[in-house]
Amino acid sequence: MAYKGERNYLQGPDIYNAVIGVVSEKNPGIVFSKIKMAFHKIARNQCKLTYGNYSILEQMPKDINTEVNLSAPSAQFIGWLVETDEPVSERIAYPEEDIVKKTAIEGSTIIINEEAPFTPIEILVAMTKQLHVRLYPIKVGQWIVTRLELNRLLTRADASQFKVKIEKNLNNRLTKASIHSGAEILGHI
């Protein structure tokens, strides 16, 4: 994975894309009905993915970066990412503002108005971040995604129909927002 823009950490969308890519490649044709990712801490180096069925839970280290749970009608995978000592050697441009300018905020909801040349998860996270920055500005630090729960994988068709709506706000420190693609509820972030 590579750093994006001026960031000095690996971004959640890249972790999502990498995990889904690896698991899907090794299990062709699988259709996920639940995707859960919990981001426990920021990764500044490359990460190692370990996944399998519930029998591997006994091997789970205490110091993980990301916890993963993927369910399909025929299989269930659990796993985790642990940061390694291998540094990130690449940096790629990431004009997140190109996503943001295609969005509109009304109340506690942000929608995207047109297509953007990014992956669906990049669009979703950029929208969610923009909504938080606008509604709940913070003086120190930044908003980060700590949990993603989906009813299925995100698709290219979703990317131009996303709507994110804040459902809960705990003291402007932790929020839960619903994710929609058109009229379909996809999950929460």
Side-chain angles (χ1 to χ4, degrees):
M1 292 183 279
Y3 289 149
K4 282 192 171 161
E6 298 303 310
R7 290 168 177 82
N8 62 355
Y9 59 89
L10 295 172
Q11 192 186 32
D14 293 328
I15 292 171
Y16 170 92
N17 286 333
V19 168
I20 297 303
V22 167
V23 176
S24 296
E25 181 182 308
K26 294 187 185 256
N27 300 278
I30 197 159
V31 177
F32 294 109
S33 54
K34 292 279 182 206
I35 298 101
K36 293 181 182 178
M37 298 182 94
F39 300 91
H40 297 287
K41 63 181 186 171
I42 290 176
R44 299 190 191 285
N45 290 324
Q46 297 295 348
C47 293
K48 177 184 176 193
L49 171 65
T50 301
Y51 78 95
N53 60 28
Y54 274 101
S55 65
I56 69 164
L57 270 178
E58 294 173 359
Q59 302 170 24
M60 187 164 77
K62 293 189 185 314
D63 199 29
I64 63 174
N65 290 77
T66 305
E67 192 175 342
V68 179
N69 189 323
L70 307 169
S71 299
S74 60
Q76 186 159 17
F77 301 100
I78 59 134
W80 54 85
L81 280 93
V82 174
E83 193 170 9
T84 68
D85 292 333
E86 183 184 345
V88 174
S89 58
E90 260 186 276
R91 183 175 296 279
I92 57 175
Y94 183 56
E96 191 172 20
E97 63 278 1
D98 290 352
I99 298 169
V100 170
K101 59 185 164 183
K102 296 176 186 291
T103 64
I105 295 175
E106 185 175 314
S108 61
T109 302
I110 188 169
I111 61 167
I112 189 156
N113 297 317
E114 55 187 282
E115 291 185 16
F118 297 90
T119 67
I121 190 68
E122 288 172 325
I123 293 168
L124 177 63
V125 169
M127 289 175 63
T128 303
K129 176 183 168 188
Q130 178 62 18
L131 183 61
H132 282 76
V133 167
R134 182 78 59 83
L135 295 180
Y136 316 116
I138 53 179
K139 293 181 179 165
V140 178
Q142 62 188 345
W143 283 101
I144 59 170
V145 173
T146 59
R147 181 174 292 275
L148 176 68
E149 298 175 348
L150 299 169
N151 299 325
R152 62 169 173 79
L153 293 179
L154 301 173
T155 67
R156 175 67 46 205
D158 295 325
S160 61
Q161 303 181 77
F162 278 139
K163 176 172 76 170
V164 177
K165 181 178 182 187
I166 301 290
E167 302 290 343
K168 295 180 183 177
N169 176 354
L170 181 62
N171 230 10
N172 289 354
R173 295 186 49 80
L174 186 64
T175 64
K176 182 175 185 178
S178 56
I179 305 164
H180 306 255
S181 175
E184 181 185 4
I185 297 176
L186 298 179
H188 293 91
I189 188 166

